[in-house]
Amino acid sequence: MRKLLLLILTFLVMTVLPAVADGISVMSFKLLETDLTANTHGTQKFDQNGDKAALIKIVTPEKGFQFNGGSLGIVGTEEKPGEIWLYVPPRAQKLTVTHQVFGVLRDYYYPVSVQGGRTYEMLLDIGIGRYVTITTSQAKSDVTIDGEYVGQSPIYNRYMNYGRHAVVTQNGIYEGQDTIVVSFNDSKETKMVNIAMQDMSRHFGEVTVNVENNADIWFNDRQVGTSTWSTQLREGTYTIETRKNDCDPVRTTFTVQPQRQNTITAAPPAPHTGRLNIYTRPRSAKAILNGTTPIDVAELQTLPVGTYQLAFSHKGYVGTDREFTITHNQTTTDTVTLARVKYIKPNAFYFGAGYTLRSLGGITALAGITFKNIDLQASYTFGLTESDDVRWYSTDGNDSYLSSIAYKRSTFAVKLGYQIVLTERLGITPQIGYEAEKLSGSVKDGTNLYGDGASASCISLGAKLLWAPIQRLYLFANPAFSIGASKDDNFKKIEDNSDISAGGFMMSLGAILNF
């Protein structure tokens, strides 16, 4: 479309106004004494002989030119904003410029000697306008030509088509405007225009724009501040835009009242969002977002882009934590299945305590491990109950009375079993075990202590019944019957003279903590 418009314009200029068009020409060619571009690493080039090329910065409003350097050729070209960088061999003498719309400039001879490693400037006129340099009475003023912002003054070598052009300049409270008329009759030298600027403070108001979330503030396609921006604006209506990474920009329109403070709170940029769709088993599971915020995962959640931690829980189920990443305009979908709480655990380490009811019973401490329902348990019972007095007599044939001794029984036991889960909270573990019993005596009458430390070993059969009222806690009942397997002499003597015997029926009751 642009090329078509240029063709139409060129046709009109060449047919309707033949006295106006003069094709491609060079307005000026000069050495840039202080420009080291052609002699700087990264921007310098070399010809086929290894010599540094000369750089000609061709200022032109258009693209699509082709260049021919004659027998010495062209080293290279690069398109730059508003310029074409043309590299030519040292001692180049002439140049031919061709454009499919604006015609041909044949055998242009350089007016100065072209030297390698030096930078030159060429103003290329395409025959439909003139180059204009615009200055302002206030330096670094914003310049707008025919409604297009072109930069800050001074504006050097701006190519402007033949005709009238409206120029508006602004620098704070200073404004200027003028009409530049570009004519075929103007000298081909660069046209110089200075815009006088006037103090328009009576039409300006003080403006402060604030925005949350440390967002950037953009005005007239330029970033003017972050979080806050203070300036002076002419009375009227303006629009600013707030921007931030991972957010959609948001515009805010406001009106400036002259000669007063105008404070504007701009709308912050809208965070990019995505959706989170979680299906839970059970469906009524609860979820906590980032440790603090309950959310209803039964509903589709819209969240800002980012990574989130969700903690899922439900009564009777083992809670779990999951991490989800939300991406812009995408739906993250997942299924979270909670495992039922295993009150009777197939794998656990445990310890506990209870009381063992039996002849000469006492307090029992136990510890064990369950692995894949195979249970290995060790226990020790501290004897508390004393026996009736056991009378000892001499064995020299006189049967003379020696002492009366009372005994307590302590038992160390190791039991192996297999845990069977009966219900969610009830289990039973049949056990077979080995017990080592030891008697400790105290003198009740007489002076000598006999039978202290008497020992016996037993084989036991029993079952450990478990009930779990809450997680990690068992209440247990452990009935067992043990049979004496071996006894030392003292134990046999004690057994012969009392109702004490190895083994027998026992019942342990207590509590266990499991992990």
Side-chain angles (χ1 to χ4, degrees), residues 471-507:
Q471 275 188 282
R472 304 192 184 283
L473 177 65
Y474 296 148
L475 299 181
F476 74 91
N478 192 182
F481 183 80
S482 60
I483 301 171
S486 65
K487 308 166 190 174
D488 66 9
D489 290 340
N490 284 334
F491 201 101
K492 292 177 180 178
K493 291 177 181 179
I494 295 172
E495 198 172 42
D496 290 340
N497 293 294
S498 67
D499 58 357
I500 298 173
S501 62
F505 178 79
M506 65 196 74
M507 171 71 77

Side-chain angles (χ1 to χ4, degrees), residues 31-40 55 57 117-120:
L31 171 67
L32 300 178
E33 297 282 358
T34 59
D35 192 325
L36 302 178
T37 307
N39 199 32
T40 301
L55 170 59
K57 292 184 175 180
R118 304 300 297 274
T119 304
Y120 301 84

Side-chain angles (χ1 to χ4, degrees), residues 214-463:
N214 203 35
D216 297 328
I217 302 170
W218 286 68
F219 180 69
N220 287 343
D221 293 325
R222 291 183 295 164
Q223 183 180 345
V224 294
T226 300
S227 294
T228 186
W229 173 49
S230 296
T231 188
Q232 293 178 319
L233 293 176
R234 207 177 201 280
E235 58 187 329
T237 301
Y238 298 87
T239 298
I240 59 170
E241 189 173 80
T242 54
R243 304 180 185 178
K244 193 174 183 180
N245 290 338
D246 294 329
C247 295
D248 292 323
V250 173
R251 293 185 174 184
T252 299
T253 300
F254 60 94
T255 300
V256 175
Q257 301 295 329
Q259 297 184 341
R260 67 177 60 179
Q261 174 66 46
N262 298 266
T263 301
I264 295 92
T265 300
H272 286 169
T273 60
R275 294 166 296 278
L276 181 63
N277 185 24
I278 302 296
Y279 183 84
T280 62
R281 295 190 181 97
R283 192 63 180 138
S284 56
K286 297 179 179 179
I288 302 296
L289 181 69
N290 290 341
T292 57
T293 307
I295 63 171
D296 183 5
V297 290
E299 301 291 336
L300 183 68
Q301 298 291 319
T302 299
L303 298 170
V305 168
T307 299
Y308 296 89
Q309 302 289 334
L310 267 73
F312 297 90
S313 62
H314 192 282
K315 185 177 180 180
Y317 291 80
V318 179
T320 185
D321 294 337
R322 299 285 290 275
E323 182 176 275
F324 299 95
T325 298
I326 304 300
T327 54
H328 184 37
N329 284 340
Q330 301 295 318
T331 299
T332 299
T333 302
D334 202 356
T335 298
V336 177
T337 301
L338 301 182
R340 280 191 172 274
V341 173
K342 291 186 179 297
Y343 291 95
I344 307 299
K345 297 181 179 180
N347 301 291
F349 167 76
Y350 61 87
F351 65 88
Y355 189 83
T356 298
L357 300 170
R358 66 174 300 183
S359 171
L360 305 184
I363 294 176
T364 298
L366 59 89
I369 185 169
T370 303
F371 179 70
K372 294 184 178 180
N373 290 314
I374 297 175
D375 183 81
L376 180 63
Q377 173 185 302
S379 63
Y380 189 82
T381 301
F382 301 87
L384 296 179
T385 305
E386 282 189 336
S387 67
D388 294 335
D389 293 350
V390 178
R391 300 172 66 83
W392 284 80
Y393 298 89
S394 66
T395 58
D396 55 4
N398 296 325
D399 292 330
S400 58
Y401 171 75
L402 299 175
S403 296
S404 292
I405 311 296
Y407 295 95
K408 295 180 181 179
R409 174 169 24 210
S410 296
T411 305
F412 172 76
V414 176
K415 298 180 180 181
L416 181 66
Y418 186 83
Q419 180 177 268
I420 300 171
V421 178
L422 300 177
T423 67
E424 185 180 81
R425 297 174 183 265
L426 191 64
I428 188 171
T429 305
Q431 295 174 316
I432 184 172
Y434 169 82
E435 297 178 352
E437 297 183 354
K438 191 173 185 178
L439 301 179
S440 57
S442 60
V443 177
K444 299 301 181 179
D445 184 39
T447 58
N448 294 324
L449 178 61
Y450 295 100
D452 185 52
S455 62
S457 59
C458 304
I459 301 299
S460 68
L461 291 173

